[in-house]
Amino acid sequence: MEKVEYKSLNRLKNHQRKFNFFTVIFTIVAGLFTWISTLLSNVLMIESGMLVFTTALTILGVNLTLDLTVKSNTNSWIYVQSSLRTVSKETCEHKPSMLQGRLAKFFKKKWAHFLIIFPSFVVFYIVMVVGIIGYQGLDPAGISLVNFASDISWFLWFPLLWALTWIANGRTWCQTCPFSGQAEWLHRGHPWKKGRKIGLNLRWPMKYSTILYSAIGFSILTWVEEFYNIGGPGVPELTSVVLIYIATLELFVTLIFQDRTFCRTMCPLSAPLALTTMISPLGTFRVKDQEKCKTCTTKECMKGNQENYGCPWFASPGSRETAPMCGLASDCYKACPHDNIDWNVKKFPWLGDLNVGRKRFDLGLSVLILLGVVLFQFVNAIPAYTIIDQWLNHFTGWTYFSKAFTPGLSKYGYSNDGYPNPVDYTFINAIPVMIVYAISRMQKKVPFKLAFTSLSYSLVPIFASTILARNLPKLLGGALLIMNEISNPAGTGVNRGIYSTFWGGVLHSLGSDPVNATAEWWVLPLMELVIVFGVFLGMRASRGLSDTDGLDKRAYYSLVLGFGITFMVITYWMSSPASPNLPFYNPLIGNVLYNPLQAQPPF
Amino acid sequence: MEPMVFIDVDRCVGCFMCERACALARAIEINVNFKLAELVRPEDCTGCGACERACPYSCISVINHGVNISERAKVTLSRVRRNMSRRLVTIDDDATLREASKVMEMEGIGSLMIGSHIITETDVLNGWFSGKTLVKEVSKEAITIEGKSTVDEALQVMNEMNIGHLPVIEGNSIVGMFSIRDALRSMSVTSINEGLKVRSARKEEKARVHAMEVPLLSTGSTYGEVYDVLKMKGIKATIVGDGVVSIRDITKGVAEGKSQNDQVEPRTIKHFRGEDPLHAVIGYMMQHNVRHVPVIENDKLLLLSIREITSRTVWIHAI
């Protein structure tokens, strides 16, 4: 592993300065590219420019904020020391480990990881190509129901990503991720054989080693997604551009920085998946016997050896504290000469990795930012939001800009007068941060930083459950359409009547109405159930966190219940039929009270 | 400039490699509760960068521009905490002087702790000769020293206060005892470098340099007589016949229940000659756990004591 050598403090600072300098250049170039694209009225160029520009701006913004607020030259600001906790046995009694029998043998094979990545690699390349060459038209509700690219991404993959929280763990996606997979193959020069790593192998500056980029990146990517209605699922070529952007950016970053720096620090999904991994039933790679590691001097799990690489994620399996950063690459398992690595299954309620001694302020902040994103996704389905948003767009003149950013999309049936307005988007994003900030300021017994982090940690299950709930209508109301598209991925000529196709008919008979972007009524109780489960886990987490960190239980409970009930009520309102003919109709909310059998959960 | 150590708390997993690498200075340690490397003793860090090289994930950056690593290493090694004895023997407040002297005799040490109070051999003897019987009547509030002080500073305190034992404090608790003999030992373990002007135990130095004239008492002197002489001269040992009697021997007498009018039994210790090299004498003293040896110089018997050797030596000063 190459290293940036710092001989004096100036060197250390110069590394940061150099990094910022190149980020500024990159930002300016991306900004110019976006501007020129706007002049050229090429929507694909504008979108990719916007994605790159916002990414660079996020990095620059976080760096500058850190430079202004943090005096030290390390990232010690992310570290929150919590009190001790005796670690009880936290593995499942029935199936303590994943690595038994055939699976254990499989993961010892060098090509195992390649084999796991390859199918999704193929699928996502098909998606990228089909998204660009396939049928682009949208139906009257503004969504695309015939193109494989957008449908598999947003009907199946995205909801499944959040369902993974309780099916396996969030990072199982990272295990199969084709983008990081191909970047790693390039970086290592071979899909599975050990060779010389190519690229500059720079270290991400220490002061800026945080996961905040990822959380803010997710928030901004969600904004772009909403703006172009990419995840609607909208115009398929826009989905392709997002995927190509992620793939290219990762290839670019892997040639500059060490191993999986992109995955760990920059990938927009890193922070959310790190959080969901903390509460999933399936654990991450972890050592069996800590004592063996204390005497181990070779540390092959981290450094690698002649045959195998070390952990590319910089997350040694040695401690619970690094569990959220384990990308399940299984390199440590192959490399360990003592066969001391295990992939454990957690014990219900699977909160063992959440309440650790070494908490992270930046992870806490990420929970709140991401919860803000989910809150936005809920609120935007309420009529009142649309009214405010439209007023703001006209008031601030954002409509004018939005027209400039979306040239040529109207021919596919896309229309947008500025939704979502950056002002209200930012405000809704910041609501959880503001609430938790206020509550932790009120805590007198515990230092602010610990109170803030601990309270945020109790909201991890709420985040995981609400984001899953919000994506359930798409999964249950539309995913079956993909079956149609397997034989005709480009979707040419099918859009005449989706309900006349076989799987469209099946969906319709189930009660789903994808043409109007609503799912079956029974998705509503399912969504509520998922949120109730999240609240339950949140309460369990609160109890543990309160015991270790010394905060009043009521502070946690009020947060968890407050957010939980808010989300449940919004879920109920946003699924309302919004019909003036039904009683309790309110133009701002829809039907305040209605029979759940008439519910129409929106995509 | 002080060396600076930066630790990436995002990547650090507490793998113990840096702690293992910092074997000499022991400045960096893993906090096992939080699985995180911490610079626990920044004053001991020599800036060598071993931790940085050992870290598998390049989490550590050592800034050592303009740091004289070998000099800092010498200071680190001459800290009191490196040379103290970690064994701390305590005694109850209401024990008798005789019990105290028995413990000292048995353990081969010269002082005992009673909470934050200390009792030494001199205190025991003072009490014995002035007719006191209980430890609490003679024990004194201990003069302490911090673990990060250097041996040099400790010796200054010892010489100023004319004492031979310093309880060592780290944080708020007493963690060990630093005696004058430990100072001598530290001299023998520290590698001596010409550039640092350390005079101790150089090869050419002879035993006669530090040997001192003491009153020569005749065989058959009583405990009382010897003690009076020691007290009058302000010394800790003298020569009786051709052997040595120190306060330790008198304390041993107390432990054995002797009376003040009993005859002392001088210890026969190997006699050194004035031209013997000093380091050989120090080696003998360390090996046989004695604080004084007789030295023959021009047919006269002199006494060489640890205090003389240590107090006249130039020590490494903190930089």
Side-chain angles (χ1 to χ4, degrees), chain B residues 7-107:
Chain B
I7 299 164
D8 186 343
V9 292
D10 174 41
R11 279 193 192 179
C12 176
V13 293
C15 70
F16 293 95
M17 289 302 272
C18 49
E19 186 179 314
R20 199 188 292 271
C22 193
L24 177 108
R26 292 177 222 154
I28 201 164
E29 270 178 16
I30 300 296
N31 185 331
V32 284
N33 298 321
F34 307 119
K35 287 282 166 58
L36 193 64
E38 280 173 0
L39 188 66
V40 283
R41 284 179 277 276
E43 72 276 1
D44 275 2
C45 173
T46 62
C48 66
C51 49
E52 181 177 329
R53 289 188 293 278
C55 182
Y57 285 157
S58 49
C59 299
I60 304 180
S61 278
V62 179
I63 308 291
N64 54 7
H65 195 66
V67 174
N68 188 337
I69 295 168
S70 62
E71 223 159 275
R72 281 190 71 90
K74 291 206 174 73
V75 175
T76 297
L77 287 180
S78 77
R79 295 214 191 268
V80 165
R81 68 163 78 96
R82 287 314 185 78
N83 298 294
M84 69 186 185
S85 121
R86 289 194 182 272
R87 204 165 53 106
L88 207 60
V89 186
T90 56
I91 194 164
D92 278 342
D93 206 2
D94 44 5
T96 62
L97 288 180
R98 178 136 182 245
E99 282 165 353
S101 57
K102 266 188 183 164
V103 175
M104 288 181 189
E105 162 71 17
M106 206 167 62
E107 302 278 347

Side-chain angles (χ1 to χ4, degrees), chain A residues 382 528 531 564-575:
Chain A
I382 302 280
E528 300 284 15
I531 300 179
I565 292 170
T566 310
F567 276 114
M568 285 168 71
V569 171
I570 299 177
T571 307
Y572 179 71
W573 283 345
M574 76 182 184
S575 308

Side-chain angles (χ1 to χ4, degrees), chain A residues 16 19-21 23 56-70 204-205 207-210 213:
Chain A
Q16 293 169 9
F19 179 60
N20 281 333
F21 174 75
T23 318
L57 213 57
T58 310
I59 297 173
L60 199 63
V62 173
N63 290 359
L64 292 182
T65 316
L66 288 179
D67 280 342
L68 289 177
T69 50
V70 179
W204 194 268
K207 185 174 182 176
Y208 308 138
S209 286
T210 158
Y213 303 101

Side-chain angles (χ1 to χ4, degrees), chain A residues 1 3 6-9 12 73-76 78-79 81-82 84 203-204 206 209-210 258 261 264 290 294-297 299 301-303 311 314-316 318-319 321-322 357-358 360, chain B residues 1 4-18 20 30-38 49-66:
Chain A
M1 199 179 292
K3 251 200 278 207
Y6 318 112
K7 278 268 162 55
S8 69
L9 197 55
L12 194 68
N73 279 300
T74 63
N75 55 356
S76 53
I78 67 169
Y79 169 56
Q81 187 172 320
S82 145
L84 298 179
R203 191 199 189 294
W204 194 268
M206 186 187 285
S209 286
T210 158
Q258 296 167 329
T261 304
R264 196 181 157 122
Q290 296 274 3
K294 271 187 193 167
T295 52
C296 169
T297 50
K299 301 282 180 221
C301 56
M302 299 159 87
K303 286 179 179 166
C311 176
F314 315 113
S316 137
S319 70
E321 277 74 6
T322 55
R358 172 177 154 199
R360 287 182 58 160
Chain B
M1 197 187 89
M4 281 177 281
V5 178
F6 298 109
I7 299 164
D8 186 343
V9 292
D10 174 41
R11 279 193 192 179
C12 176
V13 293
C15 70
F16 293 95
M17 289 302 272
C18 49
R20 199 188 292 271
I30 300 296
N31 185 331
V32 284
N33 298 321
F34 307 119
K35 287 282 166 58
L36 193 64
E38 280 173 0
C51 49
E52 181 177 329
R53 289 188 293 278
C55 182
Y57 285 157
S58 49
C59 299
I60 304 180
S61 278
V62 179
I63 308 291
N64 54 7
H65 195 66

Side-chain angles (χ1 to χ4, degrees), chain A residues 456-474:
Chain A
S456 314
Y457 269 47
S458 72
L459 292 173
V460 172
I462 301 285
F463 160 71
S465 63
T466 47
I467 196 161
L468 171 61
R470 186 64 188 89
N471 282 290
L472 275 183
K474 279 188 191 137

